[in-house]
Amino acid sequence: MKKTVLVSGGAGFIGSHVTVELAQAGYDVVIADNMSNCDNTNYCGVCQILGKKLPFIKMDFCDENAVNNLFADFKIDAVIHFAAFKAVGESVNEPLKYYRNNLLSFINVLEAARKQGGCNVLFSSSATVYGEPEELPVTEKSPRQPATSPYGDTKQMCEDFLHDCVRAYPGVKGIALRYFNPIGAHPSALIGELPRGVPNNLVPFITQTAIGRRECLSIFGDDYPTEDGTCKRDYIDIVDLAKAHVSAVTRMVEGRMKEDYEIFNVGTGRPVSVLELVNAFEKVNNLKLNYKIAPRRPGDVVAIWADPTLANEELGWKAERSVEETLAAAWAWEKHLAGK
Ligand code: UFG
């Protein structure tokens, strides 16, 4: 029997890629999104890639009745919860917006899971929970650090909500995936990242600069204690990241979890500095990027990358694409958007 996976925030960057991989792995997928941070570009792209229309429900996960109705209308075997705000800086200025949306939406999902007598719940968490790590690479046992933004706080709180609910409510099982830096786009160039306004994240800023929508990329700080002075991150290809979700959902629905609540790092284990990433983008796409060194961005950690061993061994998943392939895909997507 086919299993049904509900993807909240399924029209967004990560949600759309996960939807494609789930559907291609044989799952029935229900997409739900309030479209507050995206248009229907990715939903249309998903349908085009799959060659069929997937069920789409426009709804807000902060609306408890709507969430309950959704669970009543579909037999949900697993839910992947993406629907959340994610701009770190904005969360500092508008904490209540973040607490209300990110916490309430997840509480409603957990309540619906409890009411139906259990469900497999996958929460999209973040490496932000590790803060500035004392030891690198970080494993799932590395301590969480106090969050430096309300956004980070909501990720930690939602992990705890899930863990507590798994302990309290029979049949509720949970996995938190801690993403490092998801970048890139689907190889079809039909779905990808669609930042609203000026991008906060590095790769969309790079591609928008290359296409001419932004004048110049600012590299935030070149005086960090790293080889080239710029910060290091673990950039993970979006399709690789999406496949980790398929592995995690399958582990849950097939009853192969070792604990009822599990955490996995989803990263490559490969640190890349900002300058290295910029150079790789220029090289693989054969272009020159206009960039300058700018002051440090407040709140940035110097370096963080994953030890992905646990996910490799337990999920049977491994990041496969090179950073060059991923940056070529990101550029193809930007050109697709520009109609070039
Ligand atoms: N950077 C620049 N110029 C830019 C944008 C970013 O130099 O215009 C640098 C940043 O200073 C940082 C690196 O590029 O050193 C990566 O920055 P991103 O904003 O792309 O990503 P972050 O590592 O800051 O944050 C990401 C997600 C968060 C998540 C965090 C977890 O955006 O949601 O990873 O570690 F919480």
Side-chain angles (χ1 to χ4, degrees):
M1 251 267 287
K2 269 190 155 191
K3 300 282 184 187
T4 301
V5 184
L6 167 64
V7 180
S8 85
F13 173 45
I14 303 179
S16 59
H17 288 81
V18 168
T19 297
V20 167
E21 296 306 314
L22 283 168
Q24 288 179 339
Y27 287 98
D28 281 332
V29 185
V30 177
I31 303 172
D33 203 302
N34 67 359
M35 309 302 277
S36 69
N37 200 27
C38 62
D39 59 22
N40 66 0
T41 306
N42 277 332
Y43 173 68
C44 294
V46 166
C47 298
Q48 210 179 324
I49 292 167
L50 297 173
K52 63 174 178 187
K53 258 190 122 175
L54 293 189
F56 173 83
I57 290 97
K58 184 166 186 282
M59 57 165 281
D60 192 332
F61 277 77
C62 291
D63 178 346
E64 189 177 358
N65 287 333
V67 178
N68 288 337
N69 289 340
L70 191 63
F71 273 73
D73 290 345
F74 296 90
K75 201 198 139 295
I76 309 285
D77 297 291
V79 48
I80 307 184
H81 187 64
F82 292 111
F85 295 143
K86 59 167 189 174
V88 178
E90 183 187 55
S91 80
V92 174
N93 297 324
E94 296 183 71
L96 287 175
K97 176 175 167 181
Y98 276 68
Y99 290 133
R100 185 183 301 280
N101 186 58
N102 294 10
L103 303 182
L104 192 55
S105 61
F106 196 44
I107 288 170
N108 288 338
V109 166
L110 290 167
E111 189 72 75
R114 178 189 73 79
K115 278 193 194 141
Q116 78 163 19
C119 193
N120 297 299
V121 181
L122 195 160
F123 176 63
S124 76
S125 191
S126 165
T128 195
V129 302
Y130 296 117
E132 181 87 62
E134 271 160 27
E135 279 183 23
L136 287 164
V138 290
T139 73
E140 292 76 0
K141 290 202 164 63
S142 301
R144 293 192 325 193
Q145 307 275 358
T148 54
S149 71
Y151 159 78
D153 252 326
T154 66
K155 290 292 171 196
Q156 298 207 5
M157 287 188 229
C158 285
E159 284 192 354
D160 295 341
F161 289 0
L162 181 54
H163 196 180
D164 290 342
C165 289
V166 164
R167 275 194 284 244
Y169 306 127
V172 176
K173 300 200 192 310
I175 290 184
L177 295 182
R178 291 177 176 162
Y179 313 145
F180 284 70
N181 288 57
I183 62 165
H186 195 265
S188 65
L190 291 169
I191 54 175
E193 203 166 356
L194 277 168
R196 287 223 164 141
V198 182
N200 293 310
N201 297 115
L202 180 58
V203 169
F205 208 106
I206 289 176
T207 56
Q208 290 196 6
T209 306
I211 207 96
R213 282 180 69 189
R214 310 279 155 210
E215 207 171 302
C216 182
L217 167 75
S218 292
I219 293 183
F220 298 137
D222 70 346
D223 56 353
Y224 284 99
T226 60
E227 289 82 351
D228 64 19
T230 64
C231 295
K232 288 171 151 186
R233 295 287 184 275
D234 185 335
Y235 295 96
I236 165 102
D237 182 86
I238 187 68
V239 177
D240 279 338
L241 179 100
K243 287 180 175 162
H245 293 73
V246 178
S247 302
V249 163
T250 304
R251 179 180 175 89
M252 289 200 280
V253 299
E254 290 182 355
R256 288 191 281 105
M257 295 174 75
K258 286 196 176 149
E259 314 269 346
D260 287 345
Y261 174 69
E262 296 179 327
I263 300 170
F264 297 102
N265 284 341
V266 185
T268 66
R270 169 193 66 201
V272 175
S273 76
V274 177
L275 264 178
E276 284 170 342
L277 196 85
V278 168
N279 292 336
F281 181 83
E282 291 186 322
K283 195 161 172 222
V284 71
N285 296 315
N286 196 23
L287 45 79
K288 275 272 156 236
L289 198 68
N290 192 21
Y291 69 85
K292 63 172 188 224
I293 304 300
R296 291 183 179 192
R297 182 172 71 176
D300 273 340
V301 303
V302 181
I304 181 162
W305 66 93
D307 178 343
T309 307
L310 194 67
N312 298 163
E313 289 176 355
E314 291 296 322
L315 298 180
W317 165 90
K318 202 171 186 312
E320 277 165 3
R321 291 178 100 188
S322 68
V323 88
E324 286 78 15
E325 284 173 281
T326 305
L327 291 170
W331 180 228
W333 164 245
E334 189 68 60
K335 286 192 288 188
H336 168 78
L337 283 179
K340 290 186 183 170

